[in-house]
Amino acid sequence: MIAQTAEVRVPVPFAGPGAGTAPLTWGQKAILEDMRETGWTHNVSGAHPVPAGVTVEQMAAELADLLARHPALRMRLGTDDRGGPCQVVSAAGETVLDVVDVPDDADPADVATFAYQLGHARLLAPYDLYRDWSVRMAVVRHRGAPVHRVLTFDHLVVDGTATSLLLADLGLVGPAVRRGHDPRTVQILDLGRREETPPLRRVSDRAVRHWASHLRSVPPLTFGPLRPGDGRQGHRYWHGRFSSPAAYLAVRAVARRTRTDTSRVLLAVIAVAIGRATGVSPLTAKLIVGNRFRPGFAEAIAPLSQNGVLTVDTADTTVDEVVSRARRASMTAGMYAYYDPTQLAETEARLDAERGYPARVSCRINDRRVTTRAAADDHARDEPVTADTFRRRAAETFLVWDGPLDHLPEQAFITVEDHPGTVHLQVIFDFASFTEAQAERLLRGVEEVAVEAALDAAAPTRVTPGSVGG
């Protein structure tokens, strides 16, 4: 591994249009609330190889150009007249490009690992949201040449789609990510202002009424009361990874048969796996929705993802029927996932008082695939799969626990990641709510449910409400 490095900070001045001040957007309010609840930075960060011949000066110019073109990247928090946070976009300023030199005798594979680790470190490094610029760039230089670029974005200005659009601007992802330019594309300050107008306040009103319809009768926590105990290896919150190529083939087969997309099938499969492992049905969950279908949002550099809410009953039926229910429920959740989080919080407090106890939806599901989703949904030329196919691919399934966390606002947080050819889940569990056996049964159940449904259109869910899997 690389023990010694030297770092140079190259000043990068920039200037661009679109300066001004505006209220926080609804997406920014949602991210700030997540930051408060979790204590996590929620940065977006990663390392990318640099083509041969590219110089540090060119990369500094690319950073300045990126800041010039996108006002959101010149956004920092300010304080409004009432003492609360607002967004401030600057017309000009100066940032730095960090150039990290590694020893000439370092192995290129170790240099790549070092760049990855630097990206991970910056993922976890906190921003001063009132002073720091929203994008950071570092260059790893080996034997006098830039070999890796590390980009980090503050989640207050990007979501997954916005990140992909910015990477496309830099030529770091394929052109398929880019859409045709939409002249209606909204800038981040304009978005904050629009969300204060009567038409969008009415949009928020309708969305919050939808949330209220799901929250009136929910239990205090989705998976029941917390159980005292030692957790896993003495830690309460754990994160891990589950990957299943067999589930990927099965989900595609079910999507083809039911004429829907893999996101809806995955939602249904996860809901059934949860029901089998925990006995929770109907499942009320938060579903992260991109909101990119709205006019002017497709190419916007802004955090537009917000939680939607849905309820899916998985008991005493078939997996195909749950796919149908999940499709309807997720479409409705997507229609009502754009709202003012402050208004929702007020409604939640009112419902807690009416209900007589505080309650929250403590299961969150996020399909954040961007680059691999289209390929997963393109199943027109798929060959029929057999039980032997699934048995062979099941040998590649893995589940690993990566380590403990300090805090988790949900009892379970399941994310579908952008990995080709597999269903790859990043998961976080509260082991005061799940036994380790339940958590593993839930994750392996994703493959089990998907394969059963792929092989049999009448496959039953085998979910009995109130039972507990082990």
Side-chain angles (χ1 to χ4, degrees):
M1 283 295 125
I2 296 171
Q4 292 182 325
T5 62
E7 184 171 329
V8 177
R9 308 195 85 198
V10 177
V12 180
F14 57 83
T21 302
L24 295 179
T25 70
W26 296 342
Q28 288 173 327
K29 289 182 181 181
I31 291 296
L32 281 173
E33 181 60 27
D34 269 356
M35 290 177 177
R36 284 191 288 266
E37 286 190 343
T38 63
W40 306 338
T41 61
H42 291 275
N43 296 340
V44 180
S45 186
H48 308 268
V50 176
V54 175
T55 66
V56 167
E57 291 74 18
Q58 286 174 306
M59 299 178 78
E62 288 178 350
L63 177 57
D65 188 50
L66 196 70
L67 283 151
R69 286 200 309 276
H70 300 291
L73 301 184
R74 291 178 268 118
M75 195 284 301
R76 295 179 290 190
L77 292 186
T79 302
D80 64 20
D81 295 339
R82 295 168 292 181
C86 65
Q87 49 173 333
V88 180
V89 171
S90 296
E94 184 176 279
T95 187
V96 295
L97 174 65
D98 297 315
V99 181
V100 183
D101 285 295
V102 297
D104 289 352
D105 61 357
D107 185 279
D110 289 339
V111 177
T113 299
F114 172 80
Y116 169 82
Q117 292 171 340
L118 179 60
H120 185 70
R122 291 193 166 201
L123 178 76
L124 304 176
Y127 271 81
D128 182 334
L129 301 174
Y130 289 83
R131 297 184 61 185
D132 295 336
W133 299 112
S134 298
V135 57
R136 296 172 176 170
M137 186 186 291
V139 177
V140 178
R141 192 163 55 185
H142 185 215
R143 299 168 187 167
V147 290
H148 296 278
R149 170 182 2 217
V150 175
L151 269 173
T152 308
F153 297 105
D154 173 7
H155 208 345
L156 274 184
V157 300
V158 298
D159 54 17
T161 299
T163 301
S164 293
L165 292 167
L166 292 168
L167 295 180
D169 271 4
L170 292 167
L172 301 179
V173 297
V177 174
R178 294 293 291 173
R179 301 164 171 85
H181 176 67
D182 184 350
R184 301 170 298 176
T185 296
V186 64
Q187 298 296 335
I188 199 163
L189 290 181
D190 291 335
L191 182 60
R193 294 169 186 140
R194 287 187 196 182
E195 288 171 349
E196 297 291 306
T197 63
L200 287 189
R201 297 310 308 181
R202 289 192 290 271
V203 169
S204 183
D205 291 343
R206 290 191 291 270
V208 170
R209 285 196 295 271
H210 169 77
W211 271 83
S213 70
H214 287 265
L215 296 178
R216 283 194 177 91
S217 59
V218 293
L221 294 170
T222 303
F223 298 107
L226 304 179
R227 298 185 296 265
D230 294 331
R232 186 180 190 276
Q233 298 178 16
H235 295 279
R236 178 172 166 183
Y237 308 103
W238 277 79
H239 66 100
R241 290 168 289 145
F242 175 77
S243 179
S244 171
Y248 176 80
L249 293 178
V251 165
R252 284 168 61 105
V254 175
R256 181 175 64 249
R257 184 180 67 234
T258 58
R259 298 182 179 181
T260 189
D261 59 74
T262 55
S263 287
R264 272 61 182 268
V265 176
L266 275 168
L267 174 60
V269 165
I270 290 169
V272 173
I274 286 172
R276 288 185 182 182
T278 68
V280 171
S281 180
L283 172 69
T284 297
K286 292 180 288 190
L287 184 71
I288 298 181
V289 177
N291 283 318
R292 292 281 167 173
F293 63 91
R294 297 178 183 277
F297 284 9
E299 288 196 305
I301 305 303
L304 289 163
S305 298
Q306 290 188 250
N307 289 324
V309 66
L310 52 75
T311 301
V312 181
D313 191 351
T314 62
D316 303 320
T317 189
T318 65
V319 177
D320 272 22
E321 173 58 26
V322 177
V323 171
S324 179
R325 294 173 184 177
R327 178 170 51 208
R328 293 192 299 269
S330 62
M331 287 180 66
T332 304
M335 290 172 57
Y336 298 110
Y338 184 47
Y339 53 86
D340 183 349
T342 302
Q343 184 181 1
L344 177 59
E346 292 167 353
T347 298
E348 288 173 332
R350 175 177 58 79
L351 290 172
D352 286 350
E354 292 175 1
R355 207 188 297 111
Y357 60 86
R360 59 190 174 93
V361 178
S362 51
C363 175
R364 181 152 48 164
I365 300 170
N366 181 18
D367 184 350
R368 66 179 183 188
R369 295 173 298 161
V370 176
T371 60
T372 62
R373 189 182 309 206
D377 288 340
D378 182 16
H379 43 68
R381 295 181 298 277
D382 282 2
E383 296 292 329
V385 286
T386 66
D388 284 341
T389 303
F390 291 130
R391 275 193 291 271
R392 289 195 302 271
R393 299 307 301 271
E396 302 169 51
T397 300
F398 70 78
L399 166 61
V400 294
W401 294 107
D402 291 318
L405 293 173
D406 294 331
H407 182 63
L408 174 68
E410 279 90 22
Q411 292 173 293
F413 191 174
I414 301 171
T415 300
V416 185
E417 295 285 2
D418 241 336
H419 286 247
T422 187
V423 170
H424 190 102
L425 305 179
Q426 285 274 4
V427 296
I428 311 175
F429 286 101
D430 180 351
F431 281 107
S433 308
F434 292 82
T435 65
E436 188 172 343
Q438 274 182 300
E440 181 164 345
R441 175 165 166 74
L442 191 165
L443 295 172
R444 297 195 181 278
V446 170
E447 178 180 287
E448 177 185 86
V449 172
V451 169
E452 288 176 10
L455 295 174
D456 180 8
T461 59
R462 294 192 283 116
V463 172
T464 303
S467 67
V468 177

